[in-house]
Amino acid sequence: MILLDRKEYFLQLLSEHLLISFGALAITTVIGFLLGVWVFYSAKSRTFILPLVNFLYTIPSIAMFGLLIPLVGIGLKNALIVLLLYGLLPMVRSTYTGLAEVRPDIVEAAKGMGANKYQLFKDIYLPLSLPAILSGLRITTVMLVALTGLAALIGAGGLGQAIFRGLNTMNTPMIVAGSLGVSLMAILSDQWVGVFENRLVRVVSNNASKREKRIVYLNMVVLFVVLFAAAVYTWPSQSNKSNTITVASKPTSEQFILGEIIAQLIENETDIKVIRKFGIGGGTTNIHPAMTNGELDLYVEYTGTGWMNVLNEKLPSNNQVDFTLMQKKYQENYNMKWLGLLGFNNTYALAIPDSLAQKFNINTFSNLANYSNQFDFGAEFDFFERSDAYKGLVKKYNFKFASLHEMDINLRYNAMVEGKVNAIDAFTTDAKIVALNLKVLTDDKNYFPSYEAGIVVREEVLERFPQLENLLTQLNQKITTQKMMQLNYEVEVQKKDPQTVAKLFLQHLKSNLNE
């Protein structure tokens, strides 16, 4: 069972999920409650606070994570801000509604007995509005636990990491384990609030028995102990940052494998501790800014992407990137260094079922263009947006597909199997090409540039750990295109864990180096 086989990994994710979600919940509860009270007492604030929290709630959560990256980067800070913004609506609303629904005659009676504003709030408004406030807290709790799953997209960790890793590596048990973990935590969190919901009202009203008070206090102690244990378990990976390095990866099987190869090589040969930030959504778009501000230290990039999407340079007439010039520009512009090339070219390609290729005698992109009105084309969102992808490709070959389908990068092959599309973009190292018996077409007009993989690292990291450069350059030219496809096949088709695949690769590499 995957939970038993990888218990340490899931315990780490569970601890991160607890700390992120309940840390956000604590902040949201305090701020949401105070804003709700302010809105109740101030009619002017009501006119802009309530519409504002309503508006924030309408922004898709994934978009919110992305919008904050230029401002606060990736990771925990980004996650906490997004969760806070989303949790404000139910907390502010429930607090304001609960206070507003307190019966006026009770308030007037208290005023008649000489109660001041503070006494009115403490002894009348708060006890009577608490059921509504706690109802909002239950909603907020479940929502934040669930939303924390998305925080993995920006490298914050949590059980969502297992879900996205499973999606990216076609590992269904991993998806199920992560999803069940999030669901179970949300249910238990809801029950935790519900256990003392009514009792807390009586405690605040000074009407609770000793037993009820003990239950409330026990719940708080249990939560504190659980969170403390989670912090202790998570802390080692965050401690002694002077001797840690953060390795990042994009959300693909290939990148998970390469990230593990790099991380394990560093761990095996040095005393440096490695923090893994794998599967970051948005790929280069989010990873490069995080590299620039020092949140991430190194990752595997591709020459075509680095040249056009990072440096914003145009391709030369032969579509081949000048690697030496690119290295120079990275150092001058970003204080980053390419440590050479790993040995494989994972460029774009177009793929169709081999049966259709034979039926229409299609071998090249130009052949496909002649029959493109009979093909439904699917690709990831990024492919339709990038200047070096679909837009230029259509101009070059005059494609007129019957329909276009945008989807997550890891769902293209699923859509092919299900018959929703019969032409997709592919990468030349994709394992599914072999598994699904697809025909990779020849780019006869040489539209796509080369996408040779190499390790990009911040120069400050190399100064801090001078042994890294010689260590990591051992990987240069050691992974052929065929080898990378094989490694991807082991993960995506044979369902091996990227850690295991990386470990076996390094063992084989070490034995070859020793010969």
Side-chain angles (χ1 to χ4, degrees):
M1 185 179 179
I2 191 168
L3 287 174
L4 296 177
D5 294 338
R6 305 195 60 188
K7 56 182 181 295
E8 290 187 6
Y9 173 70
F10 280 100
L11 279 174
Q12 179 73 30
L13 298 187
L14 177 63
S15 300
E16 293 170 352
H17 206 103
L18 277 168
L19 292 174
I20 296 170
S21 56
F22 277 86
L25 179 63
I27 299 170
T28 302
T29 300
V30 173
I31 296 177
F33 174 74
L34 293 177
L35 283 176
V37 173
W38 182 32
V39 165
F40 172 70
Y41 282 107
S42 172
K44 289 183 179 179
S45 67
R46 203 176 306 151
T47 60
F48 70 89
I49 291 293
L50 292 180
L52 178 61
V53 294
N54 282 334
F55 168 73
L56 291 174
Y57 199 69
T58 64
I59 301 174
S61 53
I62 293 178
M64 186 76 81
F65 283 120
L67 290 171
L68 287 177
I69 287 174
L71 301 175
V72 299
I74 64 171
L76 182 61
K77 189 185 297 184
N78 186 314
L80 289 177
I81 293 174
V82 171
L83 294 174
L84 167 63
L85 294 176
Y86 270 86
L88 282 179
L89 178 61
M91 277 307 302
V92 173
R93 278 285 182 187
S94 62
T95 302
Y96 167 70
T97 302
L99 293 171
E101 290 180 350
V102 173
R103 287 170 48 187
D105 57 321
I106 298 176
V107 176
E108 292 301 321
K111 286 180 179 179
M113 297 177 67
N116 57 35
K117 283 189 175 182
Y118 172 73
Q119 290 171 325
L120 281 174
F121 180 79
K122 175 178 174 292
D123 299 325
I124 303 297
Y125 279 113
L126 183 58
L128 294 178
S129 64
L130 199 55
I133 295 173
L134 289 175
S135 177
L137 179 62
R138 292 186 74 168
I139 296 172
T140 304
T141 301
V142 174
M143 183 179 69
L144 292 184
V145 170
L147 276 178
T148 299
L150 293 175
L153 285 171
I154 43 95
L159 288 166
Q161 187 178 117
I163 298 173
F164 292 114
R165 178 174 286 208
L167 287 170
N168 296 332
T169 59
M170 314 297 178
N171 190 329
T172 302
M174 183 79 77
I175 299 172
V176 173
S179 300
L180 286 178
V182 174
S183 300
L184 184 61
M185 188 184 295
I187 293 169
L188 292 176
S189 300
D190 177 68
Q191 292 299 311
W192 173 77
V193 178
V195 162
F196 69 96
E197 183 175 359
N198 294 327
R199 296 180 179 90
L200 185 60
V201 174
R202 287 194 286 275
V203 169
V204 172
S205 305
N206 294 318
N207 295 323
S209 65
K210 290 184 178 180
R211 180 176 178 276
E212 288 175 321
K213 289 181 179 179
R214 283 198 296 269
I215 292 174
V216 171
Y217 298 148
L218 180 61
N219 268 272
M220 299 304 295
V221 170
V222 168
L223 177 63
F224 176 79
V225 170
V226 170
L227 293 179
F228 180 77
V232 170
Y233 193 85
T234 304
W235 182 254
S237 66
Q238 305 296 328
S239 62
N240 193 16
K241 288 196 173 182
S242 63
N243 195 42
T244 62
I245 187 169
T246 304
V247 178
S249 88
K250 302 179 185 183
T252 63
S253 300
E254 179 168 296
Q255 286 271 319
F256 277 113
I257 297 166
L258 295 173
E260 276 295 340
I261 288 174
I262 293 169
Q264 290 183 32
L265 181 60
I266 294 172
E267 290 171 333
N268 294 343
E269 302 296 330
T270 72
D271 60 354
I272 301 171
K273 295 181 179 178
V274 178
I275 298 174
R276 292 163 170 80
K277 295 288 185 181
F278 292 171
I280 294 177
T284 301
T285 304
N286 293 335
I287 291 176
H288 179 73
M291 289 276 289
T292 303
N293 62 31
E295 291 181 89
L296 302 174
D297 293 322
L298 64 89
Y299 77 112
V300 173
E301 186 56 277
Y302 303 93
T303 52
T305 303
W307 183 259
M308 289 181 289
N309 295 80
V310 175
L311 297 174
N312 294 314
E313 297 282 352
K314 291 183 179 180
L315 284 170
S317 56
N318 64 357
N319 276 15
Q320 298 302 306
V321 174
D322 185 330
F323 183 67
T324 302
L325 180 59
M326 186 178 67
Q327 282 183 311
K328 180 181 177 183
K329 287 180 177 290
Y330 258 79
Q331 289 179 292
E332 291 176 349
N333 297 344
Y334 304 113
N335 291 318
M336 296 179 197
K337 187 172 184 178
W338 282 71
L339 298 181
L341 299 172
L342 298 177
F344 68 91
N345 180 20
N346 190 12
T347 190
Y348 277 117
L350 297 182
I352 63 174
D354 189 63
S355 58
L356 292 180
Q358 294 184 30
K359 177 181 178 181
F360 295 105
N361 193 26
I362 297 175
N363 295 295
T364 66
F365 285 15
S366 295
N367 294 154
L368 179 62
N370 295 331
Y371 297 96
S372 58
N373 60 353
Q374 299 186 47
F375 284 83
D376 300 301
F377 182 76
E380 68 273 18
F381 307 107
D382 189 42
F383 187 83
F384 287 102
E385 188 63 27
R386 291 172 59 139
S387 59
D388 61 326
Y390 185 77
K391 294 177 181 178
L393 184 67
V394 170
K395 291 181 180 179
K396 189 78 170 181
Y397 285 99
N398 195 29
F399 286 117
K400 296 178 181 179
F401 291 110
S403 63
L404 300 176
H405 302 268
E406 298 184 34
M407 62 195 71
D408 182 81
I409 190 171
N410 299 292
L411 298 179
R412 308 183 326 274
Y413 292 103
N414 299 60
M416 180 76 82
V417 171
E418 294 170 3
K420 294 180 180 179
V421 298
N422 54 7
I424 60 171
D425 75 309
F427 298 111
T428 49
T429 60
D430 284 351
K432 292 286 186 176
I433 291 173
V434 178
L436 299 181
N437 193 28
L438 301 181
K439 172 74 173 181
V440 177
L441 305 180
T442 301
D443 182 5
D444 50 308
K445 294 183 181 180
N446 297 316
Y447 172 73
F448 288 126
S450 60
Y451 286 86
E452 296 180 88
I455 300 173
V456 178
V457 60
R458 296 192 300 114
E459 291 196 318
E460 186 272 332
V461 174
L462 294 177
E463 293 172 3
R464 189 153 46 101
F465 304 111
Q467 70 272 39
L468 275 182
E469 184 164 0
N470 287 334
L471 177 65
L472 294 177
T473 51
Q474 293 179 18
L475 297 173
N476 287 350
Q477 303 303 321
K478 295 299 189 296
I479 309 176
T480 64
T481 301
Q482 291 74 22
K483 183 63 177 178
M484 194 67 247
M485 181 181 285
Q486 177 197 329
L487 297 178
N488 288 336
Y489 185 88
E490 291 177 19
V491 170
E492 294 182 7
V493 180
Q494 296 181 341
K495 306 303 179 184
K496 293 182 181 180
D497 188 90
Q499 286 183 314
T500 303
V501 172
K503 182 179 179 179
L504 293 173
F505 171 83
L506 287 173
Q507 289 175 352
H508 182 70
L509 176 65
K510 188 173 183 179
S511 65
N512 287 341
L513 291 174
N514 292 334
E515 289 179 357

